[in-house]
Amino acid sequence: MGKISLSEGFSVIPEGTYVFKIVKVDYKEAYGKLEITMKTAKGQQHTERFSLLKPDGSSNEGALNAFSYFAKTALNDYGVEEIDPQDLVGHFMECDVEHDVVPSTKDPKKTLTFARLSDKRPSEGFAEPAQKPAPSTASKSGYPDIDALLG
């Protein structure tokens, strides 16, 4: 029988500042349910969920306001008035991840930790690591600084 490599399992993204890329949008218009899947440069995943309709079918203004700010920030366009949620795929956003720790409803002795995104900011993409200049290999003495002085 074949073997299956096991993963580390699910883990909550640690608190801190991250750049996220929007990789998937799932919008069920009939129910007003919107899920936006985002990933960090290291592949850590976070999903933002918006319930744009109330159970009675009316508009959920609070969720619509939250999504509007989210979308305008991701697009870095605060003048946009309408959007197809799929247009967000491929855009980046920098956010601070904070944890909400709450008691479990199933077992009061346990707690659950949820990641919450705060202070959302536009981002152009994942930051590239700073490149250090390669050391000079064309040195007469083996000490480039001395060679520069000696000419």
Side-chain angles (χ1 to χ4, degrees), residues 13 31 42 59 64 91 99 103 118 130 134:
I13 296 174
Y31 303 103
K42 291 184 178 181
S59 179
L64 184 57
H91 286 271
H99 287 173
S118 67

Side-chain angles (χ1 to χ4, degrees), residues 28-70:
K28 294 182 172 83
E29 188 173 1
Y31 303 103
K33 301 292 183 189
L34 177 61
E35 286 190 357
I36 301 173
T37 304
M38 306 158 58
K39 287 191 177 181
T40 66
K42 291 184 178 181
Q44 297 164 300
Q45 186 171 302
H46 176 80
T47 303
E48 284 287 285
R49 292 176 176 85
F50 301 92
S51 295
L52 302 176
L53 295 177
K54 293 179 181 178
D56 66 4
S58 64
S59 179
N60 182 347
E61 291 301 316
L64 184 57
N65 289 339
F67 170 67
S68 295
Y69 180 76
F70 180 94

Side-chain angles (χ1 to χ4, degrees), residues 5 15 18 35 39 64 77 83-84 98 109 116 133-135:
S5 297
E15 290 186 317
Y18 298 87
E35 286 190 357
K39 287 191 177 181
L64 184 57
D77 182 354
I83 185 173
D84 176 343
E98 297 175 354
K109 295 178 185 175
R116 181 173 51 85

Side-chain angles (χ1 to χ4, degrees), residues 37-146:
T37 304
M38 306 158 58
K39 287 191 177 181
T40 66
K42 291 184 178 181
Q44 297 164 300
Q45 186 171 302
H46 176 80
T47 303
E48 284 287 285
R49 292 176 176 85
F50 301 92
S51 295
L52 302 176
L53 295 177
K54 293 179 181 178
D56 66 4
S58 64
S59 179
N60 182 347
E61 291 301 316
L64 184 57
N65 289 339
F67 170 67
S68 295
Y69 180 76
F70 180 94
K72 290 175 180 186
T73 301
L75 296 172
N76 196 16
D77 182 354
Y78 295 92
V80 68
E81 295 181 13
E82 188 174 70
I83 185 173
D84 176 343
Q86 294 298 326
D87 292 344
L88 295 173
V89 174
H91 286 271
F92 293 83
M93 180 183 302
E94 184 177 46
C95 308
D96 295 335
V97 173
E98 297 175 354
H99 287 173
D100 287 331
V101 180
V102 297
S104 171
T105 56
K106 295 179 183 177
D107 184 351
K109 295 178 185 175
K110 294 184 180 179
T111 59
L112 301 173
T113 302
F114 297 96
R116 181 173 51 85
L117 302 184
S118 67
D119 196 19
K120 299 171 185 76
R121 306 170 290 281
S123 178
E124 294 298 317
F126 297 125
E128 294 293 322
Q131 298 291 325
K132 293 183 181 178
S136 173
T137 56
S139 171
K140 295 176 188 172
S141 68
Y143 300 98
D145 291 341
I146 293 175

